[in-house]
Amino acid sequence: MSHAEHKRNIKLVIGDEFYLIDEHADYITFGGTRIYYDSDSGGYGGNMLKEIKTTQHLFTDDKPMVGCCVAAEIDVTMVKPTATIKRMSSIKPFIRAVNETKTSEWIPKGIFYIDTRSDGENTDEIVFHGYDAMLKAENDFPMNGDIGEWPKTDIDVVSLIAGHMGVEVDTRTFEIMQRGYPVQYPGGYAMREILGYIAAMYAGNFIMSDDGKLRLVRLNEIGIETHYLVDTAGYVLTFGGDRILV
């Protein structure tokens, strides 16, 4: 019996392309809320994309350690789009498995933000480099205004930092952080340093999940530092002949 060959589709959503706009490029709203749509036609497909590579380092150095918070990175080479793409626009890669008769759902592979852009080797190319939201943790913990009561529990501090970063906390983080370690007011420290301190108490590291949420990963859950993307059958997916790092 022959089996249908598994392939993959890749698309890249940049900015707010999944919100409906009118002919003047103004957002269409309903009750004051922008209308979000999930369509296979959204984003840039394989006809525009030449290379996508994402890299996530779980350790600050080459050896395994705990207490790390390292931003994942993305490199994109694509045909220059007609739309204007601003610096710090979000970049959201999606992938799905396909065969002759079926397609999987679109799977998110991170939320990144454009840091630099440049021309590619050809005049019709543009190259983007970006980081995920972990880079926002480089900012100092806010010291102004009502600081509330301290000490706070570890998970409360993580939730507070996530709010300052503009992200949510992954549910798996709540499942792990059940010990309620007290944390003193961390004024004067970068949010990344505070997250690293808390992660070390649980023998783990903080990363951003594929759907852009703050996730604690314990050392005993970590495999090799970088992974090649595979389909549901375990076959390594390639893009232009290159394996896809996630």
Side-chain angles (χ1 to χ4, degrees):
M1 176 184 290
S2 61
H3 295 277
E5 181 181 358
H6 283 81
K7 299 181 180 179
R8 83 286 172 270
N9 291 146
I10 297 175
K11 69 178 176 181
L12 194 70
V13 176
I14 301 179
D16 289 331
E17 291 178 21
F18 272 19
Y19 288 100
L20 294 183
I21 58 175
D22 60 22
E23 65 272 15
H24 303 294
D26 295 321
Y27 291 114
I28 298 173
T29 61
F30 182 80
T33 303
R34 290 182 294 178
I35 301 173
Y36 181 88
Y37 73 99
D38 188 2
S39 169
D40 290 353
S41 61
Y44 299 100
N47 60 322
M48 293 284 290
L49 303 173
K50 296 192 173 183
E51 183 179 43
I52 299 178
K53 183 174 74 172
T54 61
T55 307
Q56 185 172 69
H57 300 284
L58 294 174
F59 311 118
T60 304
D61 296 321
D62 293 333
K63 59 183 179 181
M65 61 179 65
V66 298
C68 300
C69 305
V70 184
E73 301 179 55
I74 189 169
D75 292 282
V76 176
T77 302
M78 64 181 292
V79 176
K80 287 182 180 178
T82 56
T84 300
I85 298 176
K86 300 178 181 179
R87 187 176 183 271
M88 288 307 294
S89 291
S90 61
I91 306 180
K92 306 167 191 173
F94 291 81
I95 193 165
R96 70 177 179 182
V98 300
N99 61 23
E100 293 178 353
T101 59
K102 297 180 180 180
T103 61
S104 72
E105 63 184 63
W106 285 106
I107 301 171
K109 298 307 299 178
I111 300 176
F112 303 85
Y113 300 89
I114 296 174
D115 179 57
T116 61
R117 56 186 175 186
S118 59
D119 291 333
E121 295 181 359
N122 300 317
T123 56
D124 68 333
E125 290 181 352
I126 189 168
V127 178
F128 297 115
H129 179 77
Y131 299 89
D132 67 14
M134 188 62 75
L135 203 64
K136 299 179 181 180
E138 295 293 341
N139 296 322
D140 288 342
F141 188 85
M143 299 179 62
N144 299 324
D146 184 6
I147 65 172
E149 295 184 3
W150 293 82
K152 297 183 185 295
T153 63
D154 46 22
I155 189 61
D156 284 342
V157 177
V158 170
S159 298
L160 191 60
I161 290 175
H164 290 306
M165 293 171 61
V167 301
E168 298 179 28
V169 179
D170 191 286
T171 55
R172 290 166 289 190
T173 300
F174 291 105
E175 293 170 0
I176 294 171
M177 297 182 62
Q178 298 286 329
R179 298 175 186 172
Y181 293 122
V183 178
Q184 298 294 334
Y185 178 63
Y189 288 92
M191 293 187 287
R192 176 188 54 78
E193 294 176 298
I194 304 163
L195 288 175
Y197 168 74
I198 294 173
M201 293 192 293
Y202 286 89
N205 300 310
F206 273 104
I207 62 170
M208 302 306 300
S209 67
D210 281 344
D211 55 356
K213 296 180 180 180
L214 188 61
R215 180 187 176 192
L216 176 63
V217 180
R218 290 174 294 186
L219 196 62
N220 61 2
E221 299 176 72
I222 298 172
I224 59 174
E225 184 173 347
T226 54
H227 302 261
Y228 289 108
L229 189 62
V230 299
D231 62 20
T232 54
Y235 296 104
V236 174
L237 298 170
T238 62
F239 186 86
D242 296 324
R243 291 177 292 180
I244 304 169
L245 283 171
V246 295

